[in-house]
């Protein structure tokens, strides 16, 4: 892709490597396009970067493994769920012969005993996204769901009667405020014996997403907030956390996370009849 190509061009320039070098040991010549040269530096075993920047290739393979984890399992070249060994995870990169031209490279990668693995990834929607919980969101999907949308809906999802309409209204309203949703949602499930509602898989996934999704990242300090409420176009620059929402809560207000989790565990133990 364009950003990856520009990144590798910058790496080569930083390390002092010319594209189309005159080194006899290098297989490239004047017929190689810039894209083909970039692929060589990034994937070929003879790339000088393998010795100069081994961490770059480790990061490349870790990114590949993460992409494989996110791949849908219906593809014919998906990786089977089984007990693999460390050598099985070794990635082998290559370029398929008979490409479409100098400006296109058919890059392949094999691992887990497959000559080529599937990297087809569809966008996954967060279970904690309020726009996914009800038909009512279609009219507001372009701008996201806010608390007013929740309050003005005549009927809300009950998750197979695991929650009442009132409880569903509170929970979905809490999901519309990302920065506060961790303490609000944890408090919700620790009150009125709602721990039993977590038997519903969809609510389990929702709680897991609330806790572990980092949400928007901003550098330490970020841009100063000069107006409240923050303009929608500036929220990604001014509202967020450097290390994710959960770490932010544990650093600044640990009791809002730890105490509800302890209460949830105690409530769950009380339900254990064994």
């Amino acid at each position: 892709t364009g950003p990856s190509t520009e990144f590798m061009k910058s790496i080569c320039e930083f390390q002092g490597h010319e594209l189309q070098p005159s080194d006899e040991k290098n297989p490239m010549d004047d017929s190689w396009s810039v894209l083909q040269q970039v692929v060589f530096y990034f994937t070929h075993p003879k790339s000088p970067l393998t010795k100069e920047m081994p961490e770059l290739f480790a990061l490349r393979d870790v990114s590949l493994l993460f992409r494989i984890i996110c791949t849908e399992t219906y593809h014919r070249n998906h990786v089977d769920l089984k007990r693999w060994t460390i050598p099985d995870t070794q990635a082998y990169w290559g370029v398929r012969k008979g490409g479409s031209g100098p400006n296109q490279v058919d890059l392949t990668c094999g691992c887990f005993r497959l000559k080529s693995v599937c990297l087809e990834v569809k966008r996954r929607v967060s279970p904690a996204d309020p726009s996914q919980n009800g038909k009512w969101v279609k009219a507001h999907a372009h701008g996201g769901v806010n608390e007013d949308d929740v309050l003005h809906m005549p009927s809300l999802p009950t998750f197979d009667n695991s929650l009442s309409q009132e409880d569903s209204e509170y929970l979905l309203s809490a999901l519309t405020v990302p920065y506060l949703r961790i303490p609000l949602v944890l408090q919700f499930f620790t009150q009125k014996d709602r721990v039993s509602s977590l038997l519903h898989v969809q609510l389990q996934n929702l709680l897991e997403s609330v806790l572990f999704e980092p949400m928007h990242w901003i550098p330490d300090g970020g841009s100063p907030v000069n107006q409240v409420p923050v303009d929608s176009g500036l929220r990604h620059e001014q509202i967020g956390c450097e290390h994710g929402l959960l770490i932010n809560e544990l650093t600044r207000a640990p009791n809002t996370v730890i105490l509800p989790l302890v209460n949830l565990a105690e409530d769950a133990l009380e339900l254990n009849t064994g």
Side-chain angles (χ1 to χ4, degrees), residues 32 42 91 96 141 156 161 169 184 218 222 224 246 249 264 273:
W32 285 49
F42 192 54
R96 188 171 297 167
L156 295 171
N161 296 320
E169 180 183 282
L184 290 177
I218 60 172
L246 181 60
E249 291 292 337
L264 272 177
T273 58

Side-chain angles (χ1 to χ4, degrees), residues 183-202:
L184 290 177
V185 173
L186 285 177
Q187 184 183 32
F188 170 82
F189 283 111
T190 56
Q191 294 177 342
K192 300 181 181 180
D193 297 325
R194 294 194 184 105
V195 65
S196 59
S197 65
L198 289 173
L199 291 171
H200 196 282
V201 175
Q202 191 174 350

Side-chain angles (χ1 to χ4, degrees), residues 195-196 198 262-273:
V195 65
S196 59
L198 289 173
V262 171
N263 291 336
L264 272 177
E266 292 176 346
D267 293 343
L269 287 175
E270 291 181 2
L271 296 176
N272 184 6
T273 58

Side-chain angles (χ1 to χ4, degrees), residues 238-260:
Q238 298 182 343
I239 300 180
C241 304
E242 184 180 13
H243 302 294
L245 285 179
L246 181 60
I247 298 299
N248 182 71
E249 291 292 337
L250 292 174
T251 303
R252 302 180 183 275
N255 288 340
T256 63
V257 178
I258 296 175
L259 294 181

Side-chain angles (χ1 to χ4, degrees), residues 43-100:
T43 64
H44 202 281
K46 293 184 179 180
S47 169
L49 297 180
T50 57
K51 295 182 179 180
E52 300 170 357
M53 305 180 70
E55 65 278 6
L56 173 65
F57 295 86
L59 177 62
R60 176 201 66 185
D61 292 347
V62 168
S63 300
L64 169 72
L65 294 176
F66 177 75
R67 189 75 177 266
I68 291 174
I69 292 174
C70 297
T71 301
E72 300 291 347
T73 57
Y74 58 77
H75 194 277
R76 65 182 183 279
N77 284 342
H78 78 274
V79 176
D80 292 330
L81 184 60
K82 58 181 290 187
R83 187 181 295 275
W84 295 100
T85 63
I86 293 178
D88 291 329
T89 65
Q90 178 67 43
Y92 301 93
W93 298 80
V95 176
R96 188 171 297 167
K97 296 182 179 180
S100 302

Side-chain angles (χ1 to χ4, degrees), residues 6-23:
E6 294 301 320
F7 171 72
M8 286 305 302
K9 287 170 64 177
S10 300
I11 290 293
C12 290
E13 181 179 356
F14 180 80
Q15 292 296 113
H17 296 297
E18 298 181 3
L19 297 180
Q20 295 178 339
S22 56
D23 188 353

